[in-house]
Coordinates of all heavy atoms in Angstrom, one line a residue:
E1 N -108.9 -99.8 -16.6 CA -108.1 -100.5 -15.6 C -108.7 -100.5 -14.3 O -109.5 -99.6 -13.9 CB -106.7 -99.8 -15.5 CG -106.0 -99.8 -16.9 CD -106.0 -101.1 -17.6 OE1 -105.4 -102.1 -17.0 OE2 -106.6 -101.2 -18.7
N2 N -108.4 -101.5 -13.5 CA -108.9 -101.7 -12.2 C -108.2 -100.8 -11.2 O -107.1 -100.4 -11.4 CB -108.8 -103.2 -11.7 CG -109.7 -104.1 -12.6 OD1 -110.9 -103.9 -12.7 ND2 -109.1 -105.1 -13.1
W3 N -108.9 -100.5 -10.1 CA -108.3 -99.7 -9.0 C -107.4 -100.5 -8.2 O -107.7 -100.9 -7.0 CB -109.5 -99.1 -8.2 CG -110.4 -98.2 -8.9 CD1 -111.6 -98.6 -9.5 CD2 -110.2 -96.8 -9.1 NE1 -112.1 -97.5 -10.1 CE2 -111.3 -96.4 -9.9 CE3 -109.2 -95.9 -8.8 CZ2 -111.5 -95.1 -10.3 CZ3 -109.4 -94.6 -9.2 CH2 -110.5 -94.2 -9.9
K4 N -106.2 -100.8 -8.7 CA -105.2 -101.6 -8.0 C -103.8 -101.2 -8.6 O -103.7 -100.6 -9.7 CB -105.5 -103.1 -8.1 CG -105.5 -103.6 -9.5 CD -105.9 -105.1 -9.5 CE -105.8 -105.7 -10.9 NZ -106.1 -107.2 -10.9
P5 N -102.7 -101.7 -8.0 CA -101.4 -101.3 -8.4 C -101.1 -101.6 -9.9 O -100.5 -100.8 -10.6 CB -100.5 -102.1 -7.5 CG -101.3 -102.2 -6.2 CD -102.7 -102.4 -6.6
A6 N -101.6 -102.8 -10.3 CA -101.3 -103.2 -11.7 C -102.0 -102.3 -12.7 O -101.6 -102.2 -13.9 CB -101.7 -104.7 -11.9
G7 N -103.2 -101.7 -12.3 CA -104.0 -100.9 -13.2 C -103.7 -99.4 -13.0 O -102.8 -98.8 -13.6
T8 N -104.5 -98.8 -12.1 CA -104.4 -97.3 -11.9 C -103.1 -97.0 -11.3 O -102.6 -95.8 -11.3 CB -105.5 -96.8 -11.0 OG1 -105.6 -97.5 -9.8 CG2 -106.9 -97.0 -11.8
G9 N -102.4 -98.0 -10.7 CA -101.1 -97.7 -10.0 C -100.0 -97.6 -11.0 O -98.8 -97.2 -10.7
G10 N -100.2 -98.0 -12.3 CA -99.2 -97.9 -13.3 C -98.1 -99.0 -13.2 O -96.9 -98.7 -13.7
R11 N -98.4 -100.1 -12.5 CA -97.3 -101.1 -12.3 C -97.3 -102.2 -13.3 O -96.4 -103.1 -13.3 CB -97.5 -101.7 -10.9 CG -97.3 -100.7 -9.8 CD -95.9 -100.2 -9.7 NE -95.6 -99.4 -8.5 CZ -94.4 -98.9 -8.2 NH1 -93.4 -99.1 -9.0 NH2 -94.3 -98.2 -7.1
A12 N -98.3 -102.3 -14.2 CA -98.2 -103.4 -15.1 C -99.0 -103.2 -16.5 O -98.4 -103.4 -17.5 CB -98.9 -104.7 -14.5
S13 N -100.2 -102.7 -16.4 CA -101.1 -102.8 -17.6 C -101.1 -101.6 -18.5 O -101.0 -100.5 -18.0 CB -102.5 -103.0 -17.1 OG -102.6 -104.2 -16.4
R14 N -101.2 -101.9 -19.8 CA -101.5 -100.8 -20.8 C -103.0 -100.6 -20.7 O -103.8 -101.5 -20.8 CB -101.2 -101.2 -22.2 CG -101.8 -100.4 -23.3 CD -101.4 -98.9 -23.2 NE -100.2 -98.6 -23.9 CZ -99.3 -97.7 -23.5 NH1 -99.6 -97.0 -22.4 NH2 -98.2 -97.5 -24.2
G15 N -103.4 -99.4 -20.3 CA -104.8 -99.0 -20.2 C -105.0 -97.6 -20.8 O -104.1 -96.8 -21.0
W16 N -106.3 -97.4 -21.1 CA -106.7 -96.1 -21.6 C -107.7 -95.5 -20.6 O -108.4 -96.2 -19.9 CB -107.5 -96.2 -22.9 CG -106.7 -96.7 -24.1 CD1 -105.4 -97.2 -24.1 CD2 -107.1 -96.8 -25.4 NE1 -105.0 -97.5 -25.3 CE2 -106.0 -97.3 -26.2 CE3 -108.3 -96.5 -26.1 CZ2 -106.1 -97.5 -27.6 CZ3 -108.4 -96.7 -27.5 CH2 -107.3 -97.2 -28.2
G17 N -107.7 -94.2 -20.5 CA -108.7 -93.5 -19.6 C -109.0 -92.1 -20.2 O -108.3 -91.5 -20.9
V18 N -110.2 -91.6 -19.7 CA -110.6 -90.3 -20.2 C -111.3 -89.6 -19.0 O -112.1 -90.3 -18.3 CB -111.4 -90.3 -21.4 CG1 -112.7 -91.1 -21.2 CG2 -111.7 -88.9 -22.0
V19 N -111.1 -88.3 -18.8 CA -111.8 -87.5 -17.8 C -112.6 -86.5 -18.6 O -112.0 -85.6 -19.3 CB -110.9 -86.8 -16.8 CG1 -111.7 -86.0 -15.8 CG2 -110.0 -87.8 -16.1
V20 N -113.9 -86.5 -18.5 CA -114.8 -85.6 -19.3 C -115.4 -84.6 -18.3 O -115.9 -84.9 -17.3 CB -115.9 -86.4 -19.9 CG1 -116.9 -85.4 -20.6 CG2 -115.4 -87.4 -20.9
E21 N -115.3 -83.3 -18.7 CA -115.8 -82.2 -17.9 C -117.2 -81.9 -18.5 O -117.3 -81.2 -19.5 CB -114.9 -81.0 -17.9 CG -113.6 -81.2 -17.3 CD -112.7 -80.0 -17.4 OE1 -113.2 -78.9 -17.3 OE2 -111.4 -80.2 -17.6
S22 N -118.2 -82.4 -17.8 CA -119.6 -82.3 -18.3 C -120.6 -82.6 -17.2 O -120.6 -83.7 -16.7 CB -119.8 -83.2 -19.5 OG -121.2 -83.3 -19.8
E23 N -121.5 -81.7 -16.9 CA -122.5 -82.0 -15.9 C -123.4 -83.0 -16.4 O -123.8 -83.9 -15.7 CB -123.3 -80.7 -15.6 CG -124.4 -80.9 -14.6 CD -125.2 -79.6 -14.3 OE1 -124.8 -78.6 -14.9 OE2 -126.2 -79.6 -13.6
A24 N -123.8 -83.0 -17.7 CA -124.7 -84.0 -18.3 C -124.1 -85.4 -18.2 O -124.8 -86.4 -17.8 CB -125.1 -83.6 -19.7
V25 N -122.9 -85.6 -18.6 CA -122.2 -86.9 -18.6 C -122.1 -87.4 -17.1 O -122.4 -88.5 -16.8 CB -120.9 -86.8 -19.3 CG1 -120.2 -88.2 -19.1 CG2 -121.0 -86.5 -20.7
A26 N -121.7 -86.5 -16.2 CA -121.6 -86.9 -14.8 C -122.9 -87.3 -14.3 O -123.0 -88.3 -13.5 CB -121.0 -85.7 -14.0
E27 N -124.0 -86.6 -14.6 CA -125.3 -87.0 -14.1 C -125.8 -88.3 -14.6 O -126.3 -89.1 -13.9 CB -126.3 -85.9 -14.5 CG -126.2 -84.6 -13.6 CD -126.4 -84.9 -12.2 OE1 -127.3 -85.7 -11.8 OE2 -125.6 -84.4 -11.4
D28 N -125.5 -88.6 -15.9 CA -125.9 -89.9 -16.5 C -125.1 -91.0 -15.8 O -125.6 -92.1 -15.5 CB -125.6 -89.9 -18.0 CG -126.8 -89.6 -18.8 OD1 -127.7 -88.8 -18.2 OD2 -127.0 -90.0 -19.9
L29 N -123.8 -90.8 -15.5 CA -123.0 -91.8 -14.9 C -123.4 -92.0 -13.4 O -123.4 -93.1 -12.9 CB -121.5 -91.4 -15.0 CG -120.5 -92.6 -14.9 CD1 -120.8 -93.7 -15.9 CD2 -119.1 -92.0 -15.2
A30 N -123.7 -90.9 -12.8 CA -124.2 -91.0 -11.4 C -125.5 -91.8 -11.3 O -125.7 -92.5 -10.3 CB -124.4 -89.6 -10.8
A31 N -126.4 -91.6 -12.3 CA -127.6 -92.4 -12.3 C -127.4 -93.9 -12.4 O -128.1 -94.7 -11.8 CB -128.5 -91.9 -13.5
V32 N -126.3 -94.3 -13.2 CA -125.9 -95.7 -13.3 C -125.5 -96.2 -11.9 O -125.9 -97.2 -11.5 CB -124.8 -95.9 -14.4 CG1 -124.3 -97.3 -14.4 CG2 -125.3 -95.5 -15.7
F33 N -124.6 -95.4 -11.3 CA -124.1 -95.8 -10.0 C -125.2 -95.9 -9.0 O -125.3 -96.9 -8.3 CB -123.1 -94.7 -9.5 CG -122.5 -95.0 -8.2 CD1 -121.2 -95.6 -8.1 CD2 -123.1 -94.8 -7.0 CE1 -120.6 -96.0 -6.9 CE2 -122.6 -95.1 -5.7 CZ -121.3 -95.7 -5.7
E34 N -126.2 -95.0 -8.9 CA -127.3 -95.1 -8.0 C -128.2 -96.2 -8.2 O -128.6 -96.9 -7.3 CB -128.0 -93.7 -8.0 CG -127.3 -92.6 -7.4 CD -127.9 -91.2 -7.8 OE1 -128.9 -91.2 -8.5 OE2 -127.3 -90.2 -7.3
A35 N -128.5 -96.5 -9.5 CA -129.3 -97.7 -9.8 C -128.6 -99.0 -9.4 O -129.3 -99.9 -9.0 CB -129.6 -97.7 -11.3
D36 N -127.3 -99.0 -9.5 CA -126.6 -100.3 -9.1 C -126.4 -100.4 -7.6 O -126.6 -101.4 -7.0 CB -125.2 -100.3 -9.8 CG -125.4 -100.5 -11.3 OD1 -126.5 -100.9 -11.8 OD2 -124.4 -100.3 -12.0
A37 N -126.0 -99.3 -7.0 CA -125.7 -99.3 -5.6 C -126.9 -99.4 -4.7 O -126.9 -100.0 -3.6 CB -124.9 -98.1 -5.2
D38 N -128.1 -98.9 -5.1 CA -129.2 -98.7 -4.3 C -130.2 -99.9 -4.4 O -131.2 -99.9 -3.7 CB -130.0 -97.4 -4.6 CG -129.1 -96.2 -4.2 OD1 -128.2 -96.3 -3.4 OD2 -129.4 -95.1 -4.7
W39 N -129.9 -100.9 -5.2 CA -130.8 -102.0 -5.3 C -130.5 -103.1 -4.2 O -129.5 -103.0 -3.5 CB -130.6 -102.6 -6.7 CG -131.8 -103.6 -7.1 CD1 -131.7 -104.9 -7.2 CD2 -133.1 -103.2 -7.3 NE1 -132.9 -105.5 -7.5 CE2 -133.8 -104.4 -7.6 CE3 -133.8 -102.0 -7.4 CZ2 -135.2 -104.5 -7.9 CZ3 -135.2 -102.1 -7.7 CH2 -135.8 -103.3 -8.0
E40 N -131.4 -104.0 -4.1 CA -131.3 -104.9 -2.9 C -130.3 -106.0 -3.1 O -130.0 -106.8 -2.1 CB -132.7 -105.6 -2.8 CG -133.2 -106.4 -3.9 CD -134.6 -106.8 -3.9 OE1 -135.5 -105.9 -3.5 OE2 -134.9 -107.9 -4.2
D41 N -129.6 -106.1 -4.3 CA -128.6 -107.1 -4.4 C -127.2 -106.6 -4.0 O -126.2 -107.3 -4.3 CB -128.5 -107.7 -5.8 CG -128.4 -106.6 -6.9 OD1 -128.3 -105.4 -6.6 OD2 -128.3 -107.0 -8.1
T42 N -127.1 -105.4 -3.4 CA -125.9 -105.0 -2.9 C -126.0 -104.9 -1.4 O -127.1 -104.8 -0.8 CB -125.5 -103.6 -3.4 OG1 -126.4 -102.6 -2.9 CG2 -125.5 -103.5 -4.9
A43 N -124.9 -105.0 -0.7 CA -124.8 -105.0 0.8 C -123.7 -104.1 1.2 O -122.7 -104.0 0.5 CB -124.7 -106.4 1.3
R44 N -123.8 -103.5 2.4 CA -122.7 -102.8 3.0 C -121.6 -103.7 3.3 O -121.8 -104.8 3.7 CB -123.1 -102.1 4.3 CG -123.9 -100.7 4.0 CD -124.0 -100.0 5.3 NE -124.6 -98.7 5.1 CZ -123.9 -97.6 4.9 NH1 -122.6 -97.6 4.8 NH2 -124.6 -96.4 4.7
W45 N -120.4 -103.3 3.0 CA -119.2 -104.1 3.1 C -119.0 -104.5 4.6 O -119.1 -103.8 5.5 CB -117.9 -103.3 2.7 CG -116.7 -104.0 3.2 CD1 -115.8 -103.6 4.1 CD2 -116.1 -105.2 2.7 NE1 -114.8 -104.4 4.3 CE2 -114.9 -105.5 3.4 CE3 -116.5 -106.1 1.7 CZ2 -114.1 -106.6 3.2 CZ3 -115.7 -107.2 1.5 CH2 -114.5 -107.5 2.2
D46 N -118.8 -105.8 4.7 CA -118.4 -106.4 6.0 C -117.4 -107.5 5.6 O -117.6 -108.2 4.7 CB -119.6 -107.0 6.7 CG -119.3 -107.6 8.0 OD1 -119.0 -108.8 8.1 OD2 -119.3 -106.8 9.0

């Protein structure tokens, strides 16, 4: 679900979610974030 009232806010959508406690999984997911956020096709919000 998206980060909005209909999704994470519980106002509309059936959604699934999971929280995993794992340094290895967190590191892999952080690597995805950094690869996406640090490339030149992203810009600081304005």
Side-chain angles (χ1 to χ4, degrees):
E1 303 313 295
N2 293 307
W3 297 95
K4 61 182 184 179
T8 56
R11 295 294 188 179
S13 300
R14 164 61 84 215
W16 294 7
V18 63
V19 183
V20 176
E21 298 180 35
S22 165
E23 180 180 358
V25 175
E27 285 302 315
D28 267 27
L29 204 52
V32 175
F33 184 97
E34 291 165 357
D36 290 346
D38 294 341
W39 194 251
E40 61 194 42
D41 56 357
T42 68
R44 278 190 175 270
W45 165 253
D46 182 271

